[in-house]
C-alpha cells in the first residue's frame, strides 16, 4: 500500500465541513478504492470556535491558510476559501510552488488565474483538480478533460446555477413574482443575502469560461462572455413561454463557429419537451455536443455541501491513485502552454425566433409604429399580442405588448428595437429572450 496522503483543508464553511464529515464516514471505502491511506492532518479557517458539527480536535490548526499551503505537514492542499484573488490565490500558488497537489472548488479563482496556475502545476509535475468548481457533483470536468479524447466538441451548454433555476422553476409552478421567489430562495439558503453574483449571470459566466477552455482548447476568456441575468424576467414572460410550449432557463452556451468561439449567458426559451427543460429546482445540467458521440447530457445536484464535497473527494481520490513520479495529465486537457489564443466569434450572429416584451404608451398609432419598425428591418412577426392589464400590473396609461418573431438575427432585431425606442413609445427597456429549438 502506498504512503499516506496527508491533506490540508483551507476553508471550513458548508463545503469544507462536509468534506471533513464525509472523509470520516467514507474512510474505509476510500482506502479500498485508492489503495492508500487518506488522512486529513491540518485545517485552516477564519473562525476557530464556530460551531460546525464536526470534530477538529485531531487536526493541526493553522490561522493562516498560506502557512498551511506551504507546510511540510501536508502533500495535498484543498482550497475552499473562495474569491478570485487575495488569500485563496496566494495560498494555491504557494502550495504549488512548495510541491503540493491542489484541489479547489473556486471557479472565480480559475476563471481569472487558471492558465497561470495550470502552467505552474504542470511545470512542477503536480495535479490541479477542480471538478467541484463547475456543476457541483456532476463530473463534467473529468469528462471534458479525460473521456472525450479523439472527439471534437462543437458546443457545450447548460444550467450552471441552481439559484436561478430554482427561482425560474418556482415562478412557473407557483405563479409567484421574481422578487417573491428570490425571497423564498434566500429563506431556504439557496441564495445569498446579496444574490447579485448569481441572478445577474456572473456565477454562470465563470463556470462557462472554464468549460469553454476545456471544450475547445483555448485560453480562458471571461471578458468575452455576453452576460445577462434573470432579474427582469416577469410572470408575463413565464406565461407566454408556456403558451409557446417553452420554459425559460438561464443557460450558459459556448459554440465553436467558423469565425471563432461564441460565449453567452442569458435567459432562453427552450421547448418543454427538451431534456434541459425538465431540469428543475436547484439541479444543474450540462450538454456536450461532439462529432463521435453526438450529445452527452449530464444532470444532477449542482450545489450544496454534499454534492460539492463529493466532487472534492473524487479529485482527492484521483490524486491518491496517481503513481509517484508519473507524469500527470494537463489541467485543461492539453498542456497549458499550448492552449490556443481565444478568438471571439462575430457577435450577435444568432438566427432564430425571439420573444419581445414591450411596455408602451397607450396612445393611437403605437401598434402601427411597432409593426412599421419591424417591417423596415425585414423582421416577420409570428404574433403581436397585448397582455391583459390585470396580468401585467402596468399603469393605466401604458400597455404591455408581446411580439413573437419568425427567424431573424439578433443584430437586426436590436436595430429595430433601437428605432422603436427613439420613436418615444417605450416606457421601460425592452425585454428580449431567444427562442431556441435545438435543445
Amino acid at each position: 500500500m502506498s504512503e499516506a496522503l496527508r491533506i490540508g483543508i483551507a476553508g471550513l464553511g458548508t463545503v469544507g465541513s462536509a468534506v471533513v464529515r464525509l472523509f470520516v464516514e467514507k474512510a474505509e471505502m476510500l482506502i479500498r478504492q485508492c489503495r492508500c491511506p487518506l488522512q486529513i492532518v491540518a485545517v485552516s479557517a477564519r473562525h476557530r470556535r464556530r460551531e460546525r458539527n464536526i470534530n477538529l480536535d485531531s487536526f493541526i490548526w493553522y490561522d493562516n491558510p498560506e502557512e498551511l499551503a506551504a507546510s511540510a505537514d501536508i502533500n495535498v492542499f484543498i482550497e475552499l476559501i473562495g474569491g478570485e484573488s487575495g488569500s485563496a490565490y496566494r495560498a494555491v500558488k504557494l502550495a504549488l510552488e512548495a510541491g503540493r497537489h491542489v484541489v479547489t472548488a473556486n471557479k472565480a479563482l480559475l476563471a481569472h488565474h487558471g492558465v497561470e496556475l495550470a502552467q505552474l502545476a504542470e511545470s512542477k509535475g503536480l495535479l490541479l483538480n477542480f471538478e467541484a468548481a463547475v456543476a457541483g457533483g456532476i463530473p463534467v470536468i473529468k469528462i471534458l478533460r479525460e473521456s472525450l479524447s479523439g472527439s471534437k466538441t462543437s458546443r457545450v451548454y447548460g444550467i450552471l446555477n441552481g439559484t436561478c433555476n430554482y427561482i425560474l422553476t418556482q415562478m412557473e409552478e407557483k405563479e409567484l413574482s421574481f422578487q417573491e421567489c428570490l425571497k423564498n430562495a434566500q429563506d431556504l439558503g439557496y441564495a445569498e443575502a446579496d444574490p447579485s453574483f448569481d441572478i445577474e449571470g456572473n456565477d454562470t459566466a465563470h463556470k462557462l469560461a472554464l468549460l469553454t477552455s476545456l471544450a475547445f482548447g483555448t485560453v480562458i476568456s471571461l471578458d468575452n462572455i455576453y452576460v445577462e441575468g434573470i432579474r427582469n424576467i416577469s410572470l408575463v414572460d413565464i406565461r407566454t413561454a408556456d403558451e409557446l410550449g417553452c420554459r425559460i432557463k438561464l443557460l450558459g452556451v459556448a459554440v465553436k463557429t467558423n469565425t471563432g468561439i461564441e460565449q453567452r449567458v442569458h435567459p432562453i426559451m427552450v421547448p418543454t419537451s427538451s431534456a434541459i427543460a425538465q431540469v428543475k429546482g436547484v439541479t444543474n445540467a450540462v450538454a456536450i455536443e461532439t462529432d463521435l458521440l453526438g450529445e452527452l447530457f449530464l444532470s444532477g445536484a449542482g450545489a450544496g455541501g454534499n454534492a460539492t464535497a463529493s466532487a472534492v473527494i473524487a479529485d482527492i481520490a484521483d490524486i491518491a491513485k496517481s503513481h509517484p513520479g508519473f507524469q500527470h495529465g494537463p489541467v485543461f486537457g492539453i498542456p497549458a502552454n499550448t492552449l490556443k489564443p481565444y478568438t471571439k466569434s462575430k457577435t450577435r450572429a444568432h438566427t432564430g425566433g425571439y420573444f419581445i416584451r414591450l411596455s408602451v404608451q397607450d396612445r393611437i398609432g403605437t401598434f402601427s409604429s411597432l409593426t412599421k419598425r419591424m417591417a423596415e428591418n425585414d423582421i416577420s412577426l409570428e404574433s403581436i399580442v397585448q397582455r391583459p392589464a390585470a396580468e401585467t400590473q402596468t399603469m393605466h396609461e401604458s400597455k404591455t405588448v408581446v411580439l413573437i418573431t419568425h427567424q431573424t438575427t439578433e443584430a437586426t432585431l436590436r436595430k429595430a428595437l433601437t428605432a422603436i425606442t427613439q420613436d418615444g413609445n417605450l416606457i421601460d427597456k425592452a425585454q428580449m429572450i431567444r427562442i431556441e429549438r435545438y435543445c
Side-chain angles (χ1 to χ4, degrees):
M1 187 172 287
S2 303
E3 174 185 347
L5 205 66
R6 303 184 311 279
I7 300 162
I9 301 177
L12 292 174
T14 301
V15 176
S17 297
V19 170
V20 173
R21 177 175 50 78
L22 290 177
F23 249 93
V24 174
E25 293 176 3
K26 308 290 186 181
E28 293 184 7
M29 180 186 297
L30 287 169
I31 290 173
R32 288 197 304 270
Q33 292 176 344
C34 301
R35 299 180 63 83
C36 79
L38 279 68
Q39 183 182 6
I40 298 174
V41 298
V43 296
S44 177
R46 189 175 298 171
H47 304 290
R48 185 183 293 218
R49 300 187 183 281
R50 175 175 292 173
E51 179 54 50
R52 298 181 174 89
N53 296 316
I54 52 175
N55 188 347
L56 303 175
D57 293 343
S58 62
F59 307 142
I60 303 169
W61 182 276
Y62 284 82
D63 291 315
N64 187 340
E66 295 168 41
E67 291 181 7
L68 170 59
S71 169
D73 293 329
I74 65 169
N75 46 32
V76 178
F77 177 66
I78 315 298
E79 185 274 307
L80 302 173
I81 303 167
E84 67 183 64
S85 56
S87 185
Y89 169 71
R90 292 191 298 269
V92 168
K93 192 170 182 179
L94 280 169
L96 293 171
E97 289 172 343
R100 318 287 181 243
H101 298 294
V102 171
V103 173
T104 179
N106 193 338
K107 69 268 182 182
L109 171 69
L110 294 170
H112 288 273
H113 306 288
V115 174
E116 173 201 350
L117 296 173
Q119 289 174 336
L120 177 57
E122 291 166 16
S123 71
K124 296 278 190 176
L126 299 168
L127 284 169
L128 171 58
N129 288 350
F130 56 98
E131 189 66 70
V134 179
I138 303 173
V140 62
I141 302 300
K142 192 174 186 68
I143 288 172
L144 283 170
R145 186 163 60 184
E146 301 175 20
S147 303
L148 293 180
S149 297
S151 292
K152 184 178 181 180
T153 300
S154 57
R155 176 169 58 179
V156 57
Y157 68 93
I159 296 168
L160 303 176
N161 184 272
T163 300
C164 290
N165 204 47
Y166 172 83
I167 291 171
L168 293 172
T169 300
Q170 291 292 296
M171 288 181 72
E172 178 190 4
E173 294 183 348
K174 297 187 176 180
E175 293 209 328
L176 298 174
S177 69
F178 171 82
Q179 289 298 336
E180 288 173 304
C181 292
L182 172 58
K183 177 64 164 55
N184 290 343
Q186 290 171 321
D187 291 342
L188 291 168
Y190 296 152
E192 302 290 339
D194 179 0
S196 301
F197 193 69
D198 290 322
I199 65 175
E200 300 296 350
N202 296 306
D203 176 76
T204 297
H206 281 80
K207 296 169 182 176
L208 182 66
L210 301 179
L211 294 180
T212 300
S213 181
L214 286 158
F216 305 120
T218 61
V219 297
I220 298 166
S221 187
L222 180 64
D223 293 339
N224 281 304
I225 302 178
Y226 170 78
V227 182
E228 179 185 336
I230 66 168
R231 190 186 293 275
N232 293 325
I233 299 295
S234 73
L235 279 173
V236 172
D237 306 335
I238 296 289
R239 290 165 181 160
T240 305
D242 182 63
E243 292 165 7
L244 293 170
C246 294
R247 286 196 178 107
I248 298 176
K249 297 294 183 183
L250 181 75
L251 298 186
V253 182
V255 184
K256 185 74 175 292
T257 74
N258 292 332
T259 62
I261 296 170
E262 178 186 9
Q263 294 183 99
R264 45 189 170 87
V265 173
H266 54 81
I268 296 177
M269 289 188 181
V270 297
T272 53
S273 59
S274 64
I276 202 81
Q278 306 309 312
V279 179
K280 299 182 179 182
V282 294
T283 306
N284 281 194
V286 180
I288 307 167
E289 294 184 0
T290 71
D291 58 345
L292 299 181
L293 300 174
E295 180 174 289
L296 303 177
F297 188 82
L298 304 97
S299 177
N306 283 349
T308 309
S310 172
V312 170
I313 290 174
D315 276 346
I316 296 170
D318 278 350
I319 293 172
K321 294 172 186 176
S322 300
H323 300 291
F326 179 75
Q327 183 61 46
H328 301 297
V331 175
F332 288 98
I334 61 175
N337 58 9
T338 68
L339 290 170
K340 294 174 289 187
Y342 180 91
T343 301
K344 186 177 180 180
S345 178
K346 290 182 179 178
T347 58
R348 297 173 180 166
H350 170 266
T351 299
Y354 286 85
F355 160 95
I356 304 105
R357 171 170 49 83
L358 305 173
S359 181
V360 300
Q361 301 283 352
D362 185 4
R363 59 193 182 195
I364 296 173
T366 296
F367 267 45
S368 60
S369 174
L370 297 179
T371 55
K372 176 185 176 183
R373 292 303 187 188
M374 292 294 173
E376 287 173 349
N377 289 278
D378 295 321
I379 298 170
S380 174
L381 294 177
E382 180 178 320
S383 66
I384 176 168
V385 178
Q386 179 183 333
R387 302 301 296 200
E391 178 186 66
T392 61
Q393 297 181 332
T394 57
M395 298 179 293
H396 68 277
E397 62 273 3
S398 68
K399 294 179 180 179
T400 296
V401 177
V402 170
L403 311 176
I404 305 297
T405 78
H406 289 293
Q407 283 211 351
T408 186
T409 65
E410 184 171 342
T412 299
L413 186 54
R414 289 190 181 277
K415 182 179 178 182
L417 291 176
T418 297
I420 290 170
T421 302
Q422 290 172 346
D423 287 340
N425 288 319
L426 295 189
I427 293 174
D428 293 318
K429 184 179 178 181
Q431 170 75 304
M432 183 179 76
I433 303 177
R434 299 183 189 209
I435 303 172
E436 299 280 15
R437 301 297 182 186
Y438 63 76
C439 297

PDB file of all heavy atoms in Angstrom, residues 31 61 201 262 274 282 291 294 306 318 327:
ATOM      1  N   ILE A  31     -10.020   4.040   1.347  1.00  0.00           N
ATOM      2  CA  ILE A  31      -8.782   3.271   1.418  1.00  0.00           C
ATOM      3  C   ILE A  31      -8.817   2.105   0.434  1.00  0.00           C
ATOM      4  O   ILE A  31      -7.844   1.826  -0.281  1.00  0.00           O
ATOM      5  CB  ILE A  31      -8.535   2.763   2.856  1.00  0.00           C
ATOM      6  CG1 ILE A  31      -8.179   3.947   3.765  1.00  0.00           C
ATOM      7  CG2 ILE A  31      -7.412   1.726   2.879  1.00  0.00           C
ATOM      8  CD1 ILE A  31      -8.072   3.578   5.223  1.00  0.00           C
ATOM      9  N   TRP A  61      -4.147  23.012  13.604  1.00  0.00           N
ATOM     10  CA  TRP A  61      -4.888  24.208  13.210  1.00  0.00           C
ATOM     11  C   TRP A  61      -3.920  25.297  12.740  1.00  0.00           C
ATOM     12  O   TRP A  61      -2.939  25.600  13.415  1.00  0.00           O
ATOM     13  CB  TRP A  61      -5.730  24.751  14.356  1.00  0.00           C
ATOM     14  CG  TRP A  61      -6.543  25.958  13.958  1.00  0.00           C
ATOM     15  CD1 TRP A  61      -6.127  27.251  13.927  1.00  0.00           C
ATOM     16  CD2 TRP A  61      -7.894  25.951  13.477  1.00  0.00           C
ATOM     17  NE1 TRP A  61      -7.135  28.062  13.467  1.00  0.00           N
ATOM     18  CE2 TRP A  61      -8.232  27.288  13.190  1.00  0.00           C
ATOM     19  CE3 TRP A  61      -8.854  24.958  13.284  1.00  0.00           C
ATOM     20  CZ2 TRP A  61      -9.475  27.662  12.708  1.00  0.00           C
ATOM     21  CZ3 TRP A  61     -10.097  25.328  12.807  1.00  0.00           C
ATOM     22  CH2 TRP A  61     -10.404  26.667  12.535  1.00  0.00           C
ATOM     23  N   GLY A 201     -26.054  36.540 -13.546  1.00  0.00           N
ATOM     24  CA  GLY A 201     -25.423  35.644 -14.513  1.00  0.00           C
ATOM     25  C   GLY A 201     -23.925  35.500 -14.375  1.00  0.00           C
ATOM     26  O   GLY A 201     -23.297  34.744 -15.125  1.00  0.00           O
ATOM     27  N   GLU A 262     -18.214  31.589 -29.653  1.00  0.00           N
ATOM     28  CA  GLU A 262     -19.243  32.448 -29.074  1.00  0.00           C
ATOM     29  C   GLU A 262     -19.550  31.953 -27.665  1.00  0.00           C
ATOM     30  O   GLU A 262     -19.850  30.781 -27.464  1.00  0.00           O
ATOM     31  CB  GLU A 262     -20.512  32.395 -29.922  1.00  0.00           C
ATOM     32  CG  GLU A 262     -21.657  33.232 -29.367  1.00  0.00           C
ATOM     33  CD  GLU A 262     -22.952  33.051 -30.137  1.00  0.00           C
ATOM     34  OE1 GLU A 262     -23.020  32.154 -30.995  1.00  0.00           O
ATOM     35  OE2 GLU A 262     -23.894  33.809 -29.862  1.00  0.00           O
ATOM     36  N   SER A 274     -37.845  19.248 -24.324  1.00  0.00           N
ATOM     37  CA  SER A 274     -36.392  19.030 -24.321  1.00  0.00           C
ATOM     38  C   SER A 274     -35.907  18.565 -22.960  1.00  0.00           C
ATOM     39  O   SER A 274     -36.536  18.814 -21.926  1.00  0.00           O
ATOM     40  CB  SER A 274     -35.672  20.324 -24.704  1.00  0.00           C
ATOM     41  OG  SER A 274     -35.909  21.335 -23.740  1.00  0.00           O
ATOM     42  N   VAL A 282     -32.975  23.290  -7.856  1.00  0.00           N
ATOM     43  CA  VAL A 282     -31.565  23.657  -7.755  1.00  0.00           C
ATOM     44  C   VAL A 282     -30.657  22.729  -8.559  1.00  0.00           C
ATOM     45  O   VAL A 282     -29.431  22.820  -8.486  1.00  0.00           O
ATOM     46  CB  VAL A 282     -31.101  23.685  -6.280  1.00  0.00           C
ATOM     47  CG1 VAL A 282     -31.802  24.787  -5.516  1.00  0.00           C
ATOM     48  CG2 VAL A 282     -31.337  22.338  -5.612  1.00  0.00           C
ATOM     49  N   ASP A 291     -18.607  15.212 -32.231  1.00  0.00           N
ATOM     50  CA  ASP A 291     -18.739  14.602 -33.553  1.00  0.00           C
ATOM     51  C   ASP A 291     -18.879  13.087 -33.476  1.00  0.00           C
ATOM     52  O   ASP A 291     -19.582  12.480 -34.280  1.00  0.00           O
ATOM     53  CB  ASP A 291     -17.544  14.984 -34.438  1.00  0.00           C
ATOM     54  CG  ASP A 291     -16.203  14.585 -33.842  1.00  0.00           C
ATOM     55  OD1 ASP A 291     -16.140  14.277 -32.627  1.00  0.00           O
ATOM     56  OD2 ASP A 291     -15.201  14.576 -34.584  1.00  0.00           O
ATOM     57  N   GLY A 294     -22.248  12.262 -30.523  1.00  0.00           N
ATOM     58  CA  GLY A 294     -23.483  13.017 -30.512  1.00  0.00           C
ATOM     59  C   GLY A 294     -23.548  13.897 -29.283  1.00  0.00           C
ATOM     60  O   GLY A 294     -22.538  14.459 -28.850  1.00  0.00           O
ATOM     61  N   ASN A 306     -22.977  18.388   0.342  1.00  0.00           N
ATOM     62  CA  ASN A 306     -22.654  17.020  -0.042  1.00  0.00           C
ATOM     63  C   ASN A 306     -22.259  16.894  -1.506  1.00  0.00           C
ATOM     64  O   ASN A 306     -21.313  16.180  -1.845  1.00  0.00           O
ATOM     65  CB  ASN A 306     -23.838  16.094   0.249  1.00  0.00           C
ATOM     66  CG  ASN A 306     -23.956  15.751   1.717  1.00  0.00           C
ATOM     67  OD1 ASN A 306     -23.049  16.021   2.507  1.00  0.00           O
ATOM     68  ND2 ASN A 306     -25.057  15.154   2.104  1.00  0.00           N
ATOM     69  N   ASP A 318      -8.444  10.868  -7.072  1.00  0.00           N
ATOM     70  CA  ASP A 318      -7.647  10.805  -8.301  1.00  0.00           C
ATOM     71  C   ASP A 318      -6.167  11.042  -8.003  1.00  0.00           C
ATOM     72  O   ASP A 318      -5.289  10.399  -8.599  1.00  0.00           O
ATOM     73  CB  ASP A 318      -8.140  11.847  -9.304  1.00  0.00           C
ATOM     74  CG  ASP A 318      -9.344  11.372 -10.094  1.00  0.00           C
ATOM     75  OD1 ASP A 318      -9.676  10.172 -10.006  1.00  0.00           O
ATOM     76  OD2 ASP A 318      -9.954  12.193 -10.794  1.00  0.00           O
ATOM     77  N   GLN A 327       3.884  11.175 -14.838  1.00  0.00           N
ATOM     78  CA  GLN A 327       3.619  12.486 -15.422  1.00  0.00           C
ATOM     79  C   GLN A 327       2.104  12.709 -15.496  1.00  0.00           C
ATOM     80  O   GLN A 327       1.401  12.050 -16.247  1.00  0.00           O
ATOM     81  CB  GLN A 327       4.215  12.592 -16.833  1.00  0.00           C
ATOM     82  CG  GLN A 327       4.033  13.948 -17.481  1.00  0.00           C
ATOM     83  CD  GLN A 327       4.701  15.066 -16.704  1.00  0.00           C
ATOM     84  OE1 GLN A 327       5.843  14.935 -16.281  1.00  0.00           O
ATOM     85  NE2 GLN A 327       3.994  16.170 -16.503  1.00  0.00           N
TER      86      GLN A 327
END
